[in-house]
Amino acid sequence: MGFFSPLCKISRRGKYFVLLLLLLSVLAWIATFSGETVKSGRFFSATPQTLIKEDTLRVKVNTWTEATNLLKTPPPKVECPQESPLLQGALKLSFEASLKLKDVVSDNKGVTEGEYTPPDCTARQSVAILIPHRSRERHLLYLLHHLHPFLQRQQLHYAIYVIQQAGDATFNRAKLLNVGYLEALKDYSWECFIFHDVDLVPENDHNLYVCDKQPKHLVVGRNATGYKLRYKGYFGGVTAMTREQFLQVNGFSNTYWGWGGEDDDLRIRVELQKMKILRPPADVARYTMVFHKRDSGNEINKDRMRLLGRTQQVWRKDGLNSCSYKTMSVERLPLYVNVTVDIGKP
Ligand code: UD2
Ligand code: MN
């Protein structure tokens, strides 16, 4: 017996009647259902519709604000090119007796408290230039005069630190440079450090003041030595090491008082770490050293050969990790950060 069997017994007219009833009830059901929707729709209608309007408005406002912001904020900086388009190559250096500090300041308007950031691109490296110093004001002025524009042409983010030895005890170049490294890192996480004599002026801006995979010696030759490398292991004057490379060798020794030996000691430290010293091509790594006599207070260190003989034994405990000093002042001058420090005496 099928489900529809009772229907079969009903007359044809009856069948149509039942079908019509079914159809009507379905229609009624649909009508009630949609009525509820309409009702509920009416009940809630105000809120979603306003929301939609508000949302559209908010989107419009947001797009407008974003658009105006885009116009206001400069476009995101791109990395500076591998080779700066500002480089000039061999330079004509000048050492005018009439040069004044205020002229150098006004020539370097982009420099604030010794620091510079290229305006149009993101520098490839952030470099701290460390200059050990005492009573060489004229040399410092010449160096600042040449070095600031030189570094700006290289599109570097850089800052110059001058580390002044307070008092008149024997000079200690190496310890001052350790202090410079430690003090500069309090300002910024510099990735590269240039250890720079005050009297050496670079002659060619293709001599890049950036660090490499290995420590770099930037002085192949200078005027006084006929632009020849003094000896194979020579590592004095101007050197570049990354923050990590310098930390790895525990910095300079603190024990070289007076002239000589501290640069060779650093070379030994570098070699002990199986690092290799790199040098730029000789035609680029050229410097003019402003003429000077040996300073009083920086007499030749007669002990240097003995000290060089024990570097291998002592480097781990003599260096950055044992560099004790007293900072007398940190002055943020327009062209450099002037760190005056008491490093003690021999
Ligand atoms: C050589 C090295 C130098 C260093 C030195 C031995 C070169 C080009 N330079 O320089 O890096 O190894 O021998 O210690 O080979 N200073 C002062 N006031 C002083 C004394 C020294 O500011 O009273 C600073 C200054 O930055 C100077 C540096 O120490 O440039 C080295 O002293 P230097 O120029 O008298 O020695 P020099 O030319 O033989
Ligand atoms: Mn010198």
Side-chain angles (χ1 to χ4, degrees):
M1 275 237 217
F3 175 74
F4 289 106
S5 57
L7 275 181
C8 300
K9 289 182 190 145
I10 308 169
S11 67
R12 181 176 282 229
R13 200 180 289 164
K15 271 188 213 167
Y16 284 133
F17 182 70
V18 172
L19 273 174
L20 193 72
L21 259 176
L22 269 171
L23 197 70
L24 279 172
S25 51
V26 166
L27 279 175
W29 180 75
I30 291 175
T32 341
F33 182 76
S34 55
E36 262 173 28
T37 332
V38 169
K39 255 191 258 161
S40 59
R42 219 173 273 145
F43 182 72
F44 288 113
S45 66
T47 326
Q49 273 172 17
T50 334
L51 268 183
I52 290 166
K53 273 189 194 152
E54 275 177 9
D55 280 355
T56 331
L57 202 65
R58 206 173 295 147
V59 167
K60 277 185 188 157
V61 170
N62 282 348
T63 329
W64 175 252
T65 329
E66 274 161 25
T68 45
N69 278 350
L70 266 176
L71 286 175
K72 272 186 258 165
T73 47
K77 278 198 206 169
V78 288
E79 193 176 46
C80 298
Q82 187 83 40
E83 186 178 311
S84 165
L86 309 174
L87 299 183
Q88 293 171 358
L91 313 160
K92 210 179 145 287
L93 304 180
S94 66
F95 301 91
E96 302 286 338
S98 57
L99 184 69
K100 298 272 184 301
L101 185 66
K102 63 172 174 43
D103 303 328
V104 184
V105 171
S106 64
D107 287 347
N108 292 282
K109 297 216 167 59
V111 178
T112 317
E113 296 182 341
E115 186 175 356
Y116 175 84
T117 311
D120 306 321
C121 56
T122 306
R124 290 179 167 259
Q125 279 190 28
S126 293
V127 187
I129 318 289
L130 309 180
I131 304 168
H133 182 258
R134 184 169 70 185
S135 324
R136 297 271 205 104
E137 310 302 340
R138 198 74 212 159
H139 293 178
L140 182 58
L141 184 60
Y142 289 140
L143 183 61
L144 294 169
H145 169 62
H146 289 106
L147 206 51
H148 273 296
F150 172 96
L151 296 167
Q152 287 160 36
R153 287 199 302 276
Q154 295 190 357
Q155 297 186 310
L156 297 172
H157 167 221
Y158 72 86
I160 296 184
Y161 290 84
V162 176
I163 307 96
Q164 310 269 358
Q165 181 170 337
D168 51 14
T170 309
F171 196 73
N172 187 332
R173 174 181 181 267
K175 190 168 180 183
L176 290 173
L177 291 170
N178 279 344
V179 171
Y181 174 91
L182 296 168
E183 289 296 307
L185 282 176
K186 291 180 182 171
D187 286 347
Y188 185 81
S189 183
W190 303 104
E191 55 199 293
C192 177
F193 290 82
I194 311 277
F195 305 99
H196 209 298
D197 276 11
V198 75
D199 51 22
L200 288 171
V201 183
E203 295 182 7
N204 189 313
D205 58 15
H206 287 278
N207 190 359
L208 300 180
Y209 276 32
V210 291
C211 287
D212 216 313
K213 298 251 182 315
Q214 302 292 328
K216 270 166 74 184
H217 184 216
L218 300 181
V219 191
V220 172
R222 55 194 163 105
N223 54 340
T225 56
Y227 296 101
K228 295 256 164 48
L229 192 69
R230 276 171 62 201
Y231 53 98
K232 195 170 164 282
Y234 174 46
F235 200 38
V238 184
T239 49
M241 289 175 83
T242 65
R243 185 177 64 237
E244 288 81 14
Q245 287 162 358
F246 197 64
L247 190 66
Q248 198 182 329
V249 301
N250 196 17
F252 278 98
S253 164
N254 298 301
T255 60
Y256 288 78
W257 300 88
W259 185 94
E262 86 297 338
D263 50 347
D264 294 321
D265 188 284
L266 187 66
R267 182 199 62 245
I268 295 170
R269 287 168 183 246
V270 160
E271 288 170 349
L272 285 170
Q273 294 302 305
K274 304 273 181 288
M275 294 194 271
K276 208 172 154 295
I277 291 168
L278 306 175
R279 288 195 185 89
D283 60 332
V284 157
R286 289 162 68 98
Y287 284 79
T288 295
M289 187 164 95
V290 189
F291 178 78
H292 66 84
K293 296 200 283 278
R294 183 78 36 82
D295 300 277
S296 69
N298 194 29
E299 286 71 32
I300 193 157
N301 178 6
K302 296 209 180 74
D303 207 21
R304 66 189 195 286
M305 290 306 172
R306 186 189 68 84
L307 291 174
L308 283 169
R310 42 157 237 168
T311 307
Q312 188 162 3
Q313 284 79 55
V314 303
W315 73 270
R316 278 191 190 80
K317 48 182 171 33
D318 165 29
L320 281 175
N321 63 0
S322 65
C323 180
S324 62
Y325 61 96
K326 198 164 154 249
T327 309
M328 314 296 285
S329 64
V330 178
E331 296 164 277
R332 299 194 184 264
L333 305 177
L335 294 176
Y336 58 94
V337 181
N338 195 37
V339 181
T340 306
V341 63
D342 178 358
I343 55 167
K345 49 182 189 287

